[in-house]
Amino acid sequence: MYDTYIFDLDGTLLDTLDDLAAAVNYALRQHGMPEHTREDVRRFVGNGVRLLMTRAIPDGEDNPLFEATFQTFREYYMEHSLDTTRPYDGIPELLGELRARGKRVAVVSNKFYAATSELCHHFFPDTVEVAIGEHEAEGIRKKPAPDTVKEAFRQLGVDSRNAVYVGDSDVDLQTARNAGLPCISVLWGFRDRAFLEAHGATTFVTTPEEILC
């Protein structure tokens, strides 16, 4: 086993898709734009909420209503991020066992910082030691840059030796590579095995329990 586990959040620890889709479509409705299906939103997620909305809004950031629509999304999501979001089966038990074995646990997400902190505090208050979202500090870039992973190590007070990154997307694979970490790709998240393999994934788990092996 590893000593330190850095987890992605959406699609890895939490199934957030329905709440994200609801927030996207609420914002689009409020500004007279066409809505998207749940599967559309599944394809859009993974690179942070701004790019999620860039993909969801017609003409993206070139749309004159982009900023207003994005702000509506943020406000709605912060109020409704716990409506249907739940940990995937076996995740609370996995995190509890890792901590019981003395392992260090952090979350690094491209979700905005406040939502990342709120969700981790709500669902994993005793197991996730550090939760880092899209960072506003100067010089800390979002994933796939390694900056937030390095920040997680700094806050944990450890280095990257015998650490692993766990995620569900191509962005997570790139982040792990950029941080010099091995990557475990989960198969219960927002991307399937064929997609992950096409982006270089080599280590897969189908249940959280397999991460303990």
Side-chain angles (χ1 to χ4, degrees), residues 128-169:
V128 171
E129 301 174 83
V130 170
I132 298 175
E134 187 171 358
H135 215 288
E136 297 178 359
E138 184 177 353
I140 297 182
R141 300 165 296 170
K142 70 178 185 178
K143 301 187 298 184
D147 302 34
T148 48
V149 175
K150 293 178 179 178
E151 177 65 12
F153 287 137
R154 187 191 70 79
Q155 292 189 27
L156 287 171
V158 303
D159 58 34
S160 61
R161 285 177 293 184
N162 207 30
V164 67
Y165 190 101
V166 184
D168 75 306
S169 73

Side-chain angles (χ1 to χ4, degrees), residues 12 18 23 26 30 73 88 92 95 98-100 107 116 123 125 133 139-140 173 195 207:
T12 301
D18 287 335
Y26 174 84
Q30 295 305 301
F73 164 84
Y88 290 102
L95 297 180
L98 288 174
R99 296 296 293 129
V107 163
T116 301
F123 288 110
I140 297 182
L173 287 160
F195 179 93
T207 66

Side-chain angles (χ1 to χ4, degrees), residues 12-84:
T12 301
L13 298 182
L14 296 178
D15 185 354
T16 57
L17 186 57
D18 287 335
D19 285 338
L20 286 169
V24 167
N25 284 329
Y26 174 84
L28 294 173
R29 282 197 306 276
Q30 295 305 301
H31 295 276
M33 300 177 190
E35 297 180 35
H36 291 284
T37 67
R38 185 177 188 272
E39 289 308 303
D40 288 339
V41 177
R42 180 191 295 273
R43 292 194 302 272
F44 296 160
V45 299
N47 298 84
V49 291
R50 190 173 183 88
L51 188 52
L52 163 63
M53 292 306 291
T54 299
R55 292 164 172 164
I57 293 171
D59 299 322
E61 293 191 61
D62 291 333
N63 191 308
L65 295 177
F66 177 85
E67 294 298 340
T69 308
F70 180 53
Q71 184 61 29
T72 300
F73 164 84
R74 286 177 61 103
E75 292 171 357
Y76 183 92
Y77 185 72
M78 285 303 300
E79 293 179 5
H80 296 273
S81 64
L82 295 172
D83 286 1
T84 65

